[in-house]
Amino acid sequence: HAKKLGLSTYQVFEPKMHSHTVELLQIENDLRRAVENKDLRVYYQPIINLSNREITGFETLVRWQHQTRGFINPDDFIPLAEETGLIIPLGRFVLQNACEKMQQWRSAYTEAKDWVIHVNVSGKQLCQSNFVAELQAILKQTEMLPQNLKLEVTESVFLNQVPRVMEILHELQFLGIQLALDDFGTGYSSLSYLHKLPFKTLKIDRSFIQDLEINNDKLGILRAIVSLATHLGMDVVAEGIETPHQMAQLKALKCEYGQGYLFSKPLDSELMEAWFQAECLSQEEQKACNLRTE
Ligand code: C2E
Ligand code: MG
Ligand code: MG
Ligand code: MG
């Protein structure tokens, strides 16, 4: 009987557990190799001034080009990267690429002079002992000014090691690097602590923008968030704008900046360059057209 039970237990649990563990190990191995071989791509999504549609900067979003599984989105591997510590070399790769690309654009296009590049940083990455030193080395090597870099962190960085996190954030602020609080509205989102933190920018999570048309409660919350952030002297970026109507509502709330598929999906650097060339050209044409009709 015991043997039978053992067998059935084995049949029910073991193969599944086994294949799950094997798969996880496999993915971890693949990710390690991807980081080593740099099978990662940095995508860019524009951040737009909603009042004049001008580009103010870009958010960098990493993608993993897996040899057999195709493109993998960050939500499916960043948690694993954090768990395994691979986030540290991965994050370094993204930062290096983002700064290099920004400097290229800044030297090639006059419109790019004041563009700011946003880079997502996870808690584990931020708290690694030499994060600030490595970041400074990248800035120096790429000749990038600290004020042209904005690091995005989510509220989850405050889940542990709060004094340490605060120390690093203040250090970054002291160096002139800008800071954004990402995905605001999804975590604890305590409005009362905002003024104590060194964030220049508040990014409102996509979930608030998505059903803006139909959900009046969300509109109310959004209005309160924008108003508070503005009073605290912060910039507000709305994430995930997909329709002209959402944009109009955000403008009515005096939300200054936005990002989303309405403007552009995240694109690789070449496609993004083509996108902003076309965009800047059409803006110039519009301006010339306005002048002619005035
Ligand atoms: P996030 O920082 O909040 O980035 C915004 C996400 O919203 C991106 O997803 C972007 O593609 C998506 N998005 C932008 N506009 C729209 C829209 O109009 N509609 C919809 N449906 N989605 C939109 P993505 O690229 O899949 O990234 C997911 C998350 O992964 C990011 O959320 C960020 O937390 C994390 N992540 C991405 N790259 C990095 C990285 O280099 N380092 C770290 N630590 N995390 C990263
Ligand atoms: Mg972000
Ligand atoms: Mg976000
Ligand atoms: Mg997010």
Side-chain angles (χ1 to χ4, degrees):
H1 183 78
K3 200 173 178 188
K4 212 174 160 192
L5 188 72
L7 186 66
S8 75
T9 310
Y10 174 82
Q11 280 178 335
V12 173
F13 295 113
E14 281 294 303
K16 260 196 184 158
M17 259 170 62
H18 179 70
S19 71
H20 181 71
T21 314
V22 167
E23 191 176 351
L24 210 68
L25 269 174
Q26 180 69 50
I27 296 175
E28 184 184 334
N29 258 329
D30 287 359
L31 184 58
R32 176 159 290 122
R33 205 148 9 96
V35 172
E36 277 166 15
N37 298 344
K38 308 204 162 41
D39 287 335
L40 302 162
R41 296 285 168 272
V42 181
Y43 274 39
Y44 298 84
Q45 189 181 33
I47 297 169
I48 303 293
N49 183 333
L50 298 180
S51 58
N52 56 14
R53 276 217 175 213
E54 276 177 15
I55 300 166
T56 63
F58 298 87
E59 176 169 11
T60 51
L61 296 154
V62 70
R63 270 96 184 91
W64 174 11
Q65 211 162 17
H66 191 282
Q67 286 176 346
T68 53
R69 291 168 204 255
F71 265 86
I72 306 182
N73 279 325
D75 282 333
D76 296 327
F77 67 89
I78 292 288
L80 181 68
E82 284 188 48
E83 228 172 277
T84 54
L86 286 169
I87 192 71
I88 290 169
L90 185 153
R92 198 186 295 131
F93 173 84
V94 174
L95 262 171
Q96 175 85 32
N97 269 266
C99 291
E100 277 170 11
K101 189 49 69 185
M102 202 52 182
Q103 284 305 79
Q104 274 177 26
W105 286 345
R106 280 160 45 80
S107 59
Y109 303 98
T110 47
E111 301 88 348
K113 195 169 58 68
D114 299 319
W115 285 354
V116 172
I117 191 87
H118 291 229
V119 179
N120 293 289
V121 174
S122 79
K124 189 149 184 185
Q125 203 184 341
L126 193 74
C127 291
Q128 122 208 28
S129 58
N130 49 359
F131 177 72
V132 177
E134 276 189 8
L135 184 56
Q136 279 182 289
I138 291 175
L139 290 177
K140 195 171 169 203
Q141 187 232 323
T142 57
E143 297 179 11
M144 166 111 154
L145 297 173
Q147 63 264 31
N148 291 120
L149 175 66
K150 195 174 286 191
L151 300 182
E152 298 191 2
V153 302
T154 62
E155 288 167 286
S156 67
V157 299
F158 298 109
L159 284 181
N160 35 46
Q161 293 189 275
V162 175
R164 171 104 183 99
V165 171
M166 289 300 283
E167 189 191 1
I168 296 168
L169 292 179
H170 281 114
E171 214 175 318
L172 293 167
Q173 183 192 37
F174 178 78
L175 291 174
I177 293 162
Q178 301 193 56
L179 299 168
L181 188 55
D182 202 358
D183 297 354
F184 191 77
T186 56
Y188 296 95
S189 304
S190 162
L191 296 175
S192 62
Y193 70 55
L194 271 184
H195 72 283
K196 295 187 188 141
L197 300 171
F199 292 104
K200 176 80 187 93
T201 302
L202 194 67
K203 296 192 76 174
I204 303 178
D205 192 69
R206 184 167 89 229
S207 56
F208 284 90
I209 317 307
Q210 252 165 3
D211 49 0
L212 209 51
E213 281 103 337
I214 46 165
N215 194 328
N216 269 319
D217 289 349
K218 288 219 172 146
L219 195 65
I221 298 170
L222 208 56
R223 181 178 292 118
I225 295 175
V226 175
S227 146
L228 180 85
T230 309
H231 278 101
L232 293 175
M234 301 172 85
D235 311 324
V236 182
V237 180
E239 300 187 306
I241 304 177
E242 294 184 357
T243 68
H245 186 228
Q246 289 167 348
M247 177 166 121
Q249 281 181 301
L250 287 158
K251 278 173 75 171
L253 293 179
K254 302 234 155 50
C255 174
E256 249 190 302
Y257 303 98
Q259 135 185 35
Y261 296 172
L262 175 65
F263 310 107
S264 170
K265 287 195 171 185
L267 300 171
D268 70 29
S269 63
E270 275 176 39
L271 286 176
M272 185 41 71
E273 210 166 325
W275 180 86
F276 70 63
Q277 282 175 352
E279 190 72 7
C280 292
L281 209 67
S282 83
Q283 285 208 349
E284 265 169 36
E285 275 165 9
Q286 259 170 10
K287 268 182 210 157
C289 186
N290 287 343
L291 279 178
R292 275 200 300 275
T293 52
E294 259 165 25

